[in-house]
Amino acid sequence: MDNTVKVFSGTKSTYLAEKICKNLGLELGKLEITYFSDGEFEVCYTESVRNCDVYLVQSTFPNSDNLMELLLMVDAAKRASAHSVNVVVPYFGWARQDRKSKPRVSIAAKLVANLLSVAGASRVMTMDLHADQEQGFFEIPVDHLFSSSIMVPYIESLKLKDLVIASPDMGGAKRAGSYAKYFDCPVVVGHKTRACANVISSMYLIGDVKDKDVVIVDDMVDTAGTITKAADLIKSQGARSVRAVASHCIMSGPADERVENSALEEMVFTDSIPYRGHCSKVKQLTCADLFAETIRRELANESISDQYLL
């Protein structure tokens, strides 16, 4: 990497940016964030970025200050004459609001995509959007990576005897089907109905799991209601073991307690979001190498397609 490539991090993603920089052989860039008494803040780069390819690492998980911080970082880099402003957003928040599910609601995923473009981003690099078609919300290039390149080797290392891949709901059936095709194994799907957001009224399982080692795959776990209910249901129907892998570790509210008390043997995430909880079953695998390699290939004008396992 030459000195025209610089990587900076937002406040809450420094842990990941440092790993990416180590992989690339770079020092993490320096910036200052000044906070005012009313909660407003200002972003300032303390080193020149003129004519540099700038990479800004920041997941937009709650609270919304993380998103605003990223937007100000983009704007400041553009105004400081950076050659390109590349936004690395391992976890793209607001992505669940990708359509009008009822009258008079916002489509937040599209709004955030617009904000990044208007702020001055040249390119977006992200992982496991809630829906693949959200790439179309952007008017700039999007590198949409998948955590399967991290999770597949981990699942292979477990050497499970009778593997079955499961989706906790119908929305994840395509993702589960891709894993099942790779491993040449059966797939089962949970069908759920919701009473309201984050509250499941009923669930039943489509498929056979008796005496099988089941791995549930998902894109994110928020309150863990769906994935733990699916795990308990799978175990009650005779599965030998149940574990889960998911890209994004939101784990809010009662999630820790639910996972700890569930039939899950382990809950494996990437580190797109830092885990602040205390559940003994949670394990994180780093996605830093995936993003670092993608940045390296992008700068060398090389294809990134062979990083996709599924």
Side-chain angles (χ1 to χ4, degrees):
M1 293 293 156
D2 59 40
N3 58 10
T4 63
V5 179
K6 296 191 176 184
V7 178
F8 297 88
S9 174
T11 305
K12 298 297 178 62
S13 293
T14 304
Y15 72 98
L16 186 58
E18 287 174 342
K19 294 177 188 176
I20 292 172
C21 285
K22 183 177 181 180
N23 190 301
L24 293 172
L26 295 173
E27 291 290 328
L28 184 62
K30 297 179 176 60
L31 59 80
E32 290 181 350
I33 300 179
T34 304
Y35 292 88
F36 302 101
S37 62
D38 63 352
E40 191 175 309
F41 51 88
E42 175 187 75
V43 170
C44 175
Y45 294 95
T46 57
E47 59 185 87
S48 175
V49 296
R50 182 177 296 275
N51 207 35
C52 292
D53 292 307
V54 173
Y55 287 83
L56 307 177
V57 182
Q58 177 82 312
S59 287
T60 58
F61 52 90
N63 62 36
S64 56
D65 279 0
N66 293 311
L67 173 59
M68 191 63 192
E69 192 176 279
L70 177 60
L71 293 171
L72 293 178
M73 289 165 64
V74 172
D75 183 71
K78 181 188 70 172
R79 295 180 187 278
S81 301
H83 177 259
S84 66
V85 184
N86 305 277
V87 180
V88 181
V89 190
Y91 169 67
F92 184 79
W94 314 92
R96 283 173 284 184
Q97 300 177 53
D98 61 348
R99 67 195 186 283
K100 288 186 69 173
S101 57
K102 56 186 177 182
R104 299 176 297 282
V105 296
S106 62
I107 303 179
K110 172 59 175 170
L111 175 60
V112 174
N114 288 346
L115 289 170
L116 288 170
S117 297
V118 170
S122 309
R123 190 179 201 93
V124 171
M125 191 181 298
T126 188
M127 181 177 69
D128 283 331
L129 290 167
H130 190 60
D132 290 348
Q133 61 267 26
E134 289 176 9
Q135 297 170 74
F137 289 174
F138 293 88
E139 302 301 326
I140 54 178
V142 177
D143 293 318
H144 185 209
L145 309 179
F146 296 98
S147 66
S148 55
S149 61
I150 301 166
M151 297 303 182
V152 163
Y154 179 76
I155 295 171
E156 288 175 330
S157 73
L158 297 174
K159 302 185 185 304
L160 299 174
K161 183 179 178 182
D162 295 302
L163 177 63
V164 170
I165 298 295
S167 171
D169 53 35
M170 300 299 288
K174 180 181 177 182
R175 182 184 303 105
S178 298
Y179 274 80
K181 183 178 180 180
Y182 180 90
F183 286 107
D184 190 25
C185 70
V187 61
V188 298
V189 180
H191 183 273
K192 68 183 179 184
T193 57
R194 285 193 184 277
C196 59
N198 295 127
V199 179
I200 300 168
S201 58
S202 66
M203 176 181 283
Y204 63 87
L205 193 66
I206 303 171
D208 179 30
V209 295
K210 186 172 176 58
D211 297 325
K212 303 295 184 182
D213 296 303
V214 181
V215 176
I216 305 170
V217 296
D218 209 348
D219 64 326
M220 65 177 70
V221 175
D222 188 354
T223 61
T226 298
I227 208 158
T228 54
K229 193 172 184 68
D232 293 345
L233 179 60
I234 289 167
K235 189 69 173 180
S236 71
Q237 295 195 8
R240 182 186 298 115
S241 67
V242 188
R243 46 179 48 83
V245 299
S247 306
H248 306 301
C249 180
I250 302 174
M251 294 291 283
S252 66
D256 277 351
E257 183 180 355
R258 286 174 173 174
V259 171
E260 192 70 58
N261 296 327
S262 73
L264 287 170
E265 294 194 6
E266 62 179 351
M267 179 73 249
V268 183
F269 296 102
T270 74
D271 57 354
S272 63
I273 298 174
Y275 177 57
R276 307 296 190 191
H278 305 284
C279 177
S280 65
K281 295 182 179 181
V282 171
K283 180 176 184 177
Q284 285 191 294
L285 307 176
T286 189
C287 59
D289 296 344
L290 175 62
F291 281 98
E293 179 61 21
T294 304
I295 291 171
R296 184 181 291 111
R297 293 186 184 205
E298 181 183 291
L299 290 167
N301 294 313
E302 296 176 357
S303 172
I304 67 170
S305 60
D306 62 359
Q307 295 188 102
Y308 297 96
L309 295 182
L310 306 181

